[in-house]
């Protein structure tokens, strides 16, 4: 942004700042037009005529005032807005003339014009194309070098996946062409994990992956799909079969995938060695920087199967600290699990603390509808007013009927907090 500010200053004075005389001229011009003093030596350093130093905020503010802004902060905000508007115009023009324009050139333009907003702008473009169901063009976009999944951080992948995944859910997306595109799978399929649609469009995607078994670099994708298929089986009250315990301790797989695989342990049957399993898993991953990722799936799994041992272990062992922005959703699920745990134990003060910190809007978009069902179970038992329970039950039935999971019947809702015999 500093370079843009310097260009603006050169445009206003009408010449390149290339020598001492130019710096003196600019210093005088700034004083004449603003009454602010910016020495020519400061300007020389700023424009690299003599060895540069980091400019002070006073220097930046003075130059911003000279080019027509209140301060440097306003200059940044205005230029960010202009940059977004310019990129938006490029996108919408492309959408109108897309049959006659080069998609690779457009993506390169979006990257080069303002890399800071590339993820946001390319997501806007993809959303528009998904609405038009132009899967052929989307496939080409995901084949460009700029959309290689390795170029994005995990947070960026989550942003792309969540923003576009909501359209998938609404439209009941399915495209075999895109299901063969490695970058699409990493950017969308692996990030917008739609637990509410395992019997719908997302389940069709899982089935396709497992039938194909030929996706480039697809070992992790196949493992991921196999784990989700078993969760689908569990929710449909079918036997959970596939499980490769060694994969849960992998150093190479995504940590959340490890937690997804490990959670299958507890969906298979009545496990006897829970404490041993948890301790071994914790010992393997406890030194990792992103330790919370290795437990993410267990938060929801422990609620699903009402496993107090797992809940207690997680609360005891996990010193929850958010190290990355995306882990806000982790913490949110942790609060929900803890709220369930303390309600089961009858510890009302701790239960209230956790549920006061839980916020359904903080859930990851792909999980929101699924977690809402769990929250409705809690809400049903939180109130003793029959009319309120009836309203919650109707909402629960509407949500679970849409998902078509046999596991979520009325008995599960009504008896969840009943003491086990």
């Amino acid at each position: 942004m500093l370079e843009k500010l310097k260009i603006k200053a050169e445009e206003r004075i009408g010449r390149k700042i290339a020598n001492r005389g130019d710096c003196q001229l600019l210093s005088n011009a700034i004083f004449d037009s603003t009454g602010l003093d910016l020495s020519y030596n400061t300007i020389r350093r700023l424009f690299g005529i003599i060895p540069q130093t980091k400019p002070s905020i006073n220097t930046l503010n003075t130059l911003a005032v000279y080019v027509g802004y209140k301060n440097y902060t306003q200059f940044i905000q205005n230029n960010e807005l202009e940059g977004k508007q310019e990129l938006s115009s490029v996108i919408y023009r492309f959408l109108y003339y897309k049959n006659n324009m080069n998609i690779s050139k457009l993506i390169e333009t979006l990257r080069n014009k303002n890399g800071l907003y590339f993820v946001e702008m390319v997501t806007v473009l993809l959303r528009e194309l998904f609405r038009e169901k132009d899967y052929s063009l989307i496939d080409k976009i995901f084949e460009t070098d700029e959309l290689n999944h390795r170029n994005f951080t995990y947070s960026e992948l989550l942003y792309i996946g969540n923003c576009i995944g909501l359209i998938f859910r609404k439209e009941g997306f399915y495209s075999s062409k895109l299901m063969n595109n490695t970058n699409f799978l990493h950017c969308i399929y692996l990030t917008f994990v739609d637990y509410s649609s395992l019997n719908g469009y997302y389940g069709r995607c899982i089935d396709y992956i497992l039938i194909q078994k030929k996706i480039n670099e697809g070992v992790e994708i196949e493992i991921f799909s196999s784990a989700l298929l078993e969760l689908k089986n569990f929710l449909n009250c079918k036997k959970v079969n596939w499980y490769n315990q060694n994969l849960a301790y992998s150093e190479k797989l995504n940590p959340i995938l490890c937690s997804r695989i490990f959670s299958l342990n507890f969906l298979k049957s009545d496990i006897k060695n829970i404490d041993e399993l948890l301790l071994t898993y914790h010992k393997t991953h406890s030194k990792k920087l992103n330790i919370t990722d290795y437990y993410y799936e267990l938060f929801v799994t422990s609620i699903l199967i009402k496993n107090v041992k797992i809940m207690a272990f997680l609360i005891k062992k996990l010193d929850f600290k958010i190290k990355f922005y995306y882990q806000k959703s982790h913490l949110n699920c942790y609060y929900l699990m803890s709220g369930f745990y303390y309600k089961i134990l009858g510890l009302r003060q701790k239960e209230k603390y956790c549920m006061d910190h839980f916020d359904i809007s903080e859930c990851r978009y792909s999980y929101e509808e699924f977690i809402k069902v769990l929250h409705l179970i809690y809400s049903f038992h939180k109130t003793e007013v029959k009319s309120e329970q009836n309203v919650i039950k109707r909402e629960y039935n509407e949500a679970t009927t849409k998902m078509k999971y046999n596991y979520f019947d009325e008995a599960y809702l009504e008896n969840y907090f009943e003491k086990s015999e």
Side-chain angles (χ1 to χ4, degrees), residues 143 149 178 180-187 215-217 221:
E143 288 295 336
H149 65 275
L178 290 176
N180 281 290
N181 187 309
T182 300
N183 289 324
F184 168 82
L185 292 172
H186 279 275
C187 292
I215 303 298
N216 292 334
E217 309 171 19
I221 295 172

Side-chain angles (χ1 to χ4, degrees), residues 66-77:
Y66 174 65
V67 299
Y69 298 89
K70 289 182 180 180
N71 49 45
Y72 185 58
T73 298
Q74 189 191 54
F75 171 79
I76 292 174
Q77 292 172 341

